[in-house]
Amino acid sequence: IQPVDMKLLAHDRREAHAVTADSDCHLDGGRLQCRQPVTAGSYRLWIIPEPLAEQAGAGLLEASLRNGLPTGHSAGASRD
């Protein structure tokens, strides 16, 4: 995977990183947990399977983005 920061005039490509299909993510008591985050020099990300993302809902996913991914393995938010 190679994330790209879509800046207005020039796109900034981030460091490419090999990823696995199994990110070991699940919901646990209102928290989104992933045990295998992708960590590179300039970013950290979780690869969340589409069915789990739908189950988590937009509020939890947006809260995870807004709050930043924790250094641990879970991000939580109240679900509206």
Side-chain angles (χ1 to χ4, degrees):
I1 188 167
Q2 183 175 28
V4 177
D5 184 352
M6 303 297 285
K7 294 181 179 175
L8 184 60
L9 298 176
H11 304 323
D12 183 14
R13 295 181 188 275
R14 303 293 183 189
E15 174 185 350
H17 198 282
V19 298
T20 61
D22 179 14
S23 60
D24 194 17
C25 293
H26 63 280
L27 289 175
D28 183 20
R31 297 184 72 78
L32 180 60
Q33 297 188 349
C34 296
R35 293 193 176 113
Q36 298 177 13
V38 175
T39 303
S42 61
Y43 64 89
R44 183 174 62 251
L45 61 91
W46 290 347
I47 298 174
I48 302 170
E50 191 68 29
L52 180 60
E54 289 177 7
Q55 183 182 359
L60 183 56
L61 295 173
E62 288 173 4
S64 296
L65 289 172
R66 183 176 51 253
N67 298 331
L69 297 182
T71 55
H73 300 287
S74 66
S78 60
R79 296 199 55 192
D80 297 343

